[in-house]
Amino acid sequence: MDPIANPLAPAATSLPRIGDPAPQFTADTTFGTLKLEDFKGSWVILFSHPADFTPVCTTEFIAFAEIHPDLRKLNCELMGLSVDSVYSHIAWVRNVKEKMGVEITFPVIADLNKEVATLYGMINPGESKTETSRAVFIIDDKQVVRAIIYYPLTTGRNMQEILRVVKALQVTDEHTVATPANWEPGQKVIMPPPKSAEAAEMRVAEEGMECKDWYFCKKDL
Ligand code: BEZ
């Protein structure tokens, strides 16, 4: 179908998916002009919010600021984004500090021309043609997209889940393991399924391995 005839049709450009290089950009932010490539070597959580001076977004900004020290311990930085101007962002961030007593310690991108939002597919026209959804892109230290989470406009994000995903990905990278449902740091991790009959045999005999069956083994780190 012709995308001009159907404004809700998906954009023709390909959007980043898990495992893809994070699309590069240069953007005006509350911390001045920043390039994504400047963050190489750190993990980055690039997240969008619908609009400044809105209540759910305010609760989220406060909550992101609260987890920022924990993220920094994981070598992970935060970058917010909406289609508001840098002046609006500055005014809102000042208001959050004045009225809520919380300092916003991360840059906020002023994506007035929707350049970054379009690059990352942060606008879901079926939900809103003008505002960015609550998108979260977890980008690793090599600038590869590792996780993508979308929440609707009306649902504030769960910061503990975002923090948990960063921790799980870092544990996965360090130990070549996977993490089970509802995993929290300190709990047993999952061994990826063995790729041969011989590996399956060795797996179940391995010391410290807790196997329900050859394909389902857990261990402590
Ligand atoms: C909010 O942040 O409160 C909000 C923003 C857009 C739609 C609904 C709620």
Side-chain angles (χ1 to χ4, degrees):
M1 185 185 288
D2 177 359
I4 295 168
N6 176 10
L8 298 185
T13 53
S14 70
L15 297 175
R17 291 190 270 199
I18 291 176
D20 288 350
Q24 292 296 325
F25 59 82
T26 302
D28 293 333
T29 83
T30 48
F31 286 15
T33 303
L34 291 177
K35 292 181 179 177
L36 180 65
E37 68 184 7
D38 297 338
F39 290 81
K40 211 168 192 168
S42 296
W43 288 61
V44 176
I45 295 175
L46 173 66
F47 71 93
S48 56
H49 68 277
D52 296 348
F53 293 101
T54 51
V56 177
C57 298
T58 301
T59 64
E60 287 191 323
F61 259 50
I62 291 169
F64 272 120
E66 280 169 1
I67 64 162
H68 200 188
D70 292 329
L71 288 170
R72 282 202 163 135
K73 286 185 198 144
L74 300 171
N75 185 32
C76 184
E77 278 306 328
L78 276 168
M79 218 187 264
L81 176 150
S82 78
V83 300
D84 298 291
S85 71
V86 82
Y87 305 111
S88 169
H89 286 336
I90 291 168
W92 183 39
V93 161
R94 285 172 67 92
N95 180 268
V96 170
K97 183 162 185 204
E98 188 190 319
K99 296 283 164 56
M100 268 68 75
V102 177
E103 181 137 23
I104 300 307
T105 47
F106 49 84
V108 190
I109 295 170
D111 198 29
L112 274 176
N113 58 10
K114 302 188 173 79
E115 207 174 298
V116 181
T118 303
L119 205 54
Y120 278 81
M122 291 165 164
I123 295 176
N124 292 280
E127 187 181 40
S128 170
K129 292 185 189 61
T130 54
E131 299 158 307
T132 41
S133 299
R134 301 186 193 279
V136 180
F137 288 81
I138 300 180
I139 298 167
D140 73 13
D141 50 353
K142 294 172 196 67
Q143 305 220 305
V144 172
V145 174
R146 299 295 300 276
I148 303 172
I149 311 171
Y150 278 88
Y151 280 62
L153 294 175
T154 48
T155 308
R157 285 162 278 207
N158 184 321
M159 300 302 145
Q160 292 312 311
E161 174 58 5
I162 293 167
L163 198 51
R164 193 188 76 93
V165 176
V166 175
K167 287 176 181 170
L169 284 167
Q170 293 188 352
V171 162
T172 293
D173 287 359
E174 194 180 338
H175 300 281
T176 324
V177 292
T179 52
N182 301 324
W183 176 85
E184 292 289 347
Q187 295 178 347
K188 286 188 193 309
V189 294
I190 297 258
M191 299 303 294
K195 290 199 165 32
S196 67
E198 190 189 358
E201 206 65 49
M202 285 165 62
R203 170 73 53 83
V204 290
E206 216 175 296
E207 206 174 318
M209 207 62 79
E210 183 189 291
C211 294
K212 297 280 184 214
D213 208 333
W214 61 270
Y215 70 93
F216 186 5
C217 298
K218 288 183 180 181
K219 69 169 187 181
D220 285 313
L221 281 178

